[in-house]
Amino acid sequence: MPTVFADVDTGVDDAFALAYLLASPDVDLVGIASTAGNTGVQQVCRNNLALLELCGATGIPVSVGSALPLSIPLRTAEDTHGPTGLGYAELPAPTTQPSGFDAAEAWISAAHAHPGELIGLATGPMTNLALALRADPELPRLLRRLVIMGGSFEYRGNTTPVSEWNIAVDPEAAAEVFAAFGAQSGALPLVCGLNVTESIMATPQILARLADAAGSPTTEMSPQDVRGTRSTATNPLIRVLEDAMRFYFEFHFDQGEGYLAHLHDPFAAAVALDPSLVRTRSATVDVELHGTLTRGMTVADFGAHWNRPPNAAIVVGGTPQQSAPLADVFFERYIARVAPFARRLAS
Ligand code: BDR
Ligand code: CA
């Protein structure tokens, strides 16, 4: 059974990723680290605890991470994810508490408790992971694999013209993580950048398919709806996912991308559980820290110009064996797992 540790800045799409992990019957989610990013770290922690409660999984420890990036002030993204990070979703205040561990310690103790077994998933800025690597440089060799949602490869950024959000919030941390994996033998981190994750587009039709498969009648969302219209789904998990997603749809719509949303983090979660979903290219990745226009850019050396060992397996697409586009394969899988889970929660 895959043993997973997730470091998240929940976040609408992080919430969808957690739902996927919790819904996957073959996964042992041994810890969740809260990282500052889409919103402040205390709010991220509350979101994680509240989601676990909604999903009947309060036994999973949630740790609190650093309130700030390694060396710059924190920026947050309430414009993208809503005032609490969960769009329009309103979850009751959690009745559980975070674990006594700091998130960096939680990374280290999870890796030592499951040597060679742990799958790490990072879907937020990598502050906690960088701090964990400073404290225990052996960490890369202890992990079975690490999957990162972050960066953008031969593709535009979403925070600056060249930088992706998770890297832009804490570029120093990202640079330290890539450097640490270059310095150690072990599996290369699988890196899901915008070049692939922006092709994973959720639409109202896909959300309606999810609700339908969960046996939860709903009203399909539409760009004509009054902003902030609440879900009519009867299933509590589907309702939260829809209320969260509506905000994310509205954000993307306002960006001129259509009434849809990129599901970066759930896609990375799916890759974490099953890397055979994707095709990768190995490269040496470094993060630009000094450029006046390009700070936070993930630069991939595919041609060995730097003469440094590869430190990343960059996800570049689906596999030739897949008969459908990668996004279709992903959403098929997402609905097949999350819908029955939502049904079970309501029964
Ligand atoms: C990443 O940025 C965040 O806003 C999302 O949660 C995702 O992890 C995409 O750039
Ligand atoms: Ca995220």
Side-chain angles (χ1 to χ4, degrees), residues 192-310:
C192 306
L194 298 178
N195 48 298
V196 171
T197 63
E198 284 204 350
S199 70
I200 311 297
M201 287 186 281
T203 59
Q205 295 72 37
I206 290 172
L207 269 279
R209 266 173 58 203
L210 174 65
D212 190 50
S216 177
T218 191
T219 315
E220 188 171 306
M221 290 181 262
S222 144
Q224 275 77 50
D225 294 344
V226 172
R227 294 246 156 167
T229 301
R230 294 303 198 272
S231 167
T232 59
T234 49
N235 182 287
L237 176 59
I238 298 296
R239 203 160 52 236
V240 163
L241 293 177
E242 287 193 346
D243 283 342
M245 188 52 72
R246 181 184 289 279
F247 194 98
Y248 216 29
F249 281 160
E250 291 175 358
F251 168 78
H252 286 80
F253 184 80
D254 291 343
Q255 296 291 107
E257 302 192 62
Y259 202 72
L260 49 81
H262 302 134
L263 288 204
H264 314 277
D265 297 348
F267 174 73
V271 173
L273 300 191
D274 180 13
S276 76
L277 194 60
V278 292
R279 198 161 35 90
T280 61
R281 273 182 80 191
S282 297
T284 312
V285 172
D286 209 336
V287 180
E288 175 58 62
L289 297 178
H290 306 291
T292 51
L293 299 174
T294 54
R295 183 169 150 81
M297 181 178 186
T298 39
V299 182
D301 178 12
F302 288 108
H305 300 285
W306 297 335
N307 203 19
R308 284 160 51 191

Side-chain angles (χ1 to χ4, degrees), residues 20-107:
Y20 184 78
L21 294 175
L22 293 167
S24 296
D26 52 343
V27 169
D28 185 14
L29 183 58
V30 295
I32 299 176
S34 311
T35 206
N38 289 324
T39 184
V41 73
Q42 294 298 340
Q43 183 61 47
V44 167
C45 189
R46 272 195 292 279
N47 293 345
N48 291 334
L49 291 168
L51 279 167
L52 287 183
E53 211 156 323
L54 175 73
C55 294
T58 46
I60 298 170
V62 175
S63 52
V64 188
S66 170
L68 295 173
L70 293 183
S71 53
I72 54 172
L74 176 66
R75 59 187 296 183
T76 53
E78 283 81 6
D79 60 332
T80 314
H81 294 268
T84 66
L86 291 178
Y88 294 114
E90 288 166 317
L91 284 164
T95 61
T96 52
Q97 298 295 320
S99 74
F101 280 121
D102 152 84
E105 286 171 49
W107 266 106

